[in-house]
Amino acid sequence: MIPMNNCSQAPQAISVREAAERYLNSWRDDVMDWEPWIEEVELARAEFARLINADAEDVAVCSSVSQATASVAGALEYDGPRDTVVVSQAEFPTVGHVWQAHQRLGAKLRWVPVEGGEISVDRYSEALDNSVALVSACHGYYQTGFKQDLEALVDLAHGAGALLFVDAYQTLGTHPMDVQSLDVDFLASGNLKYLMGTPGIAFLYVRREIADRLEPNVTGWFGQRHPYSFEVDVLDFAAGARRFDTGTPPISNAYIARAGMEIINEVGPVAIREWTEQLSRRLIEGGRERGLDRIGPDDPTRKTPSTAFVCTGDSHMAEAMLRERGVIGSARGHVVRMAPHFYSTMEDVDRALDALAEVFGGMA
Ligand SMILES: Cc1ncc(COP(=O)(O)O)c(C=O)c1O
């Protein structure tokens, strides 16, 4: 099989499987071994921190991007002059759902539109004023692969006195990320896409100066300064991003997540970006040569590794037909996405495009 579905779920790497087995063996043989298990969660936190050039203390362990977003949303105040959250139409729906749910607590939403599969920075500019508390932006648009200019967004948000929350799920692992030089306030990602992991774990970076001022209402004993003090009537948030930890961490998923992120950190997001841009170029040009209709940027440097081809029939049926031909694509709405990764070859791309042209041709 040729996996071209990294925008949805990466394939299983040998070292990732071994990590999962290490946990299962420990559970079977030692029955309960909390110290090393919790240590494994710390190693996963540190590996994520390495990926984004942060300190591990500035990273919280979450269960999903939805939870990370809800943790941030619940820690903001909406009863002062800054009661507005700017959200784009390119967010993964889950992020939009979380912000909408916070309207009940007073949050006012202002939507930034998607035009031609992309978002213009000017639209953010127009949406900003001194009522905005936070801009919630995705780095990569899951549908078209459009990649936002984060530096411009940080400048715009901070220039208007607002915070910036970034969902980097569609880019992390294929785009070098330095949260410190970027000066982003919050950054969240899960692990099952380009980070070679599985569902059930996600990470949230929170800038130190902000973290200590925030009191999350999505919380629990692992978000406390002394999680093992067992004082039910004391609420004493841990310092920094750790206050965004919640309950018993996702231990088995942490084993898997670390192993996946180690692969990415070893290969290196700079090299991965360079190679996936070449693969994107081939997808764009090869798609054009085969007469495939596509949405999203023409310039590989302005997109994630995911390339979206428009399906005139049922995209999920197209995905199933591709699978019969040995190619795993990813259907989303009216498109089928082809998302290679560092291990993909030009030949993989060519074969995937041939299969796609055959499937789409049969549907026309
Ligand atoms: C950009 C982006 N954000 C969030 C999600 C989902 O987040 P969660 O971890 O809450 O399922 C996805 C995809 O599945 C995504 O592509």
Side-chain angles (χ1 to χ4, degrees):
M1 294 295 246
I2 300 174
M4 297 288 278
N5 59 325
N6 287 278
C7 55
S8 185
Q9 169 67 70
Q12 189 183 96
I14 293 167
S15 62
V16 172
R17 185 182 183 86
E18 285 168 354
E21 284 171 351
R22 268 197 305 120
Y23 169 70
L24 289 174
N25 293 346
S26 159
W27 181 20
R28 179 194 59 200
D29 300 339
D30 306 317
V31 182
M32 184 169 80
D33 207 5
W34 284 104
E35 266 186 40
W37 289 353
I38 294 296
E39 180 52 25
E40 194 69 38
V41 176
E42 294 311 317
L43 293 173
R45 192 194 306 268
E47 201 64 41
F48 183 84
R50 198 177 144 207
L51 191 65
I52 61 169
N53 191 32
D55 191 296
E57 294 307 305
D58 298 326
V59 171
V61 179
C62 301
S63 57
S64 65
V65 166
S66 310
Q67 185 245 296
T69 313
S71 293
V72 172
L76 302 179
E77 312 276 346
Y78 305 102
D79 54 2
R82 286 193 183 265
D83 59 359
T84 302
V85 176
V86 169
V87 198
S88 90
Q89 295 281 1
E91 301 317 298
F92 194 79
T94 204
V95 172
H97 298 150
V98 168
W99 292 116
Q100 288 178 74
H102 283 76
Q103 292 176 117
R104 193 166 55 86
L105 302 182
K108 296 196 173 62
L109 302 194
R110 200 170 286 160
W111 292 93
V112 173
V114 172
E115 293 154 326
E118 304 187 12
I119 303 184
S120 155
V121 173
D122 295 344
R123 296 282 171 269
Y124 278 103
S125 216
E126 288 157 18
L128 281 161
D129 58 29
N130 58 11
S131 69
V132 178
L134 178 140
V135 176
S136 177
C138 61
H139 187 199
Y141 181 16
Y142 71 96
Q143 202 179 28
T144 66
F146 166 65
K147 192 152 68 175
Q148 310 232 48
D149 178 351
L150 283 189
E151 277 158 24
L153 290 190
V154 172
D155 285 350
L156 276 177
H158 288 178
L163 299 169
L164 181 67
F165 171 90
V166 174
D167 171 0
Y169 213 159
Q170 286 292 337
T171 53
L172 221 52
T174 67
H175 182 106
M177 179 62 70
D178 181 338
V179 287
Q180 299 190 58
S181 74
L182 196 57
D183 202 25
V184 66
D185 301 297
F186 305 94
L187 183 136
S189 178
N191 287 70
L192 61 147
K193 304 180 195 296
Y194 299 97
L195 298 183
M196 311 293 293
T198 57
I201 192 164
F203 297 91
L204 170 68
Y205 163 80
V206 186
R207 192 151 66 84
R208 183 82 49 104
E209 303 74 48
I210 298 165
D212 287 335
R213 314 201 292 260
L214 296 176
E215 301 205 338
N217 56 21
V218 177
T219 189
W221 59 316
F222 278 85
Q224 303 301 304
R225 194 177 303 276
H226 303 293
Y228 305 112
S229 68
F230 295 99
E231 289 168 293
V232 65
D233 53 356
V234 174
L235 181 66
D236 182 15
F237 288 113
R242 275 182 191 272
R243 63 183 51 201
F244 285 89
D245 282 16
T246 56
T248 308
I251 291 167
S252 52
N253 303 325
Y255 275 76
I256 291 174
R258 171 161 78 100
M261 291 187 289
E262 274 176 353
I263 297 173
I264 298 304
N265 277 328
E266 197 183 312
V267 180
V270 172
I272 296 176
R273 177 172 63 180
E274 201 192 304
W275 179 237
T276 51
E277 280 177 4
Q278 290 185 48
L279 296 171
S280 275
R281 185 163 294 114
R282 183 75 149 232
L283 278 163
I284 292 168
E285 288 169 4
R288 199 177 293 134
E289 283 158 16
R290 289 166 180 81
L292 298 171
D293 191 12
R294 184 180 56 79
I295 49 169
D298 291 332
D299 175 357
T301 65
R302 293 183 59 240
K303 63 187 283 300
T304 71
S306 176
T307 301
F309 293 98
V310 178
C311 180
T312 49
D314 177 343
S315 64
H316 289 274
M317 186 179 291
E319 182 187 302
M321 289 165 74
L322 278 171
R323 199 177 260 265
E324 285 166 11
R325 288 162 176 76
V327 174
I328 309 178
S330 173
R332 190 63 90 218
H334 70 301
V335 299
V336 173
R337 300 170 299 173
M338 289 288 167
H341 204 343
F342 70 91
Y343 57 80
S344 309
T345 63
M346 286 292 172
E347 198 200 346
D348 289 343
V349 167
D350 292 344
R351 285 177 53 196
L353 282 171
D354 285 343
L356 193 65
E358 191 181 307
V359 166
F360 280 8
M363 287 179 143

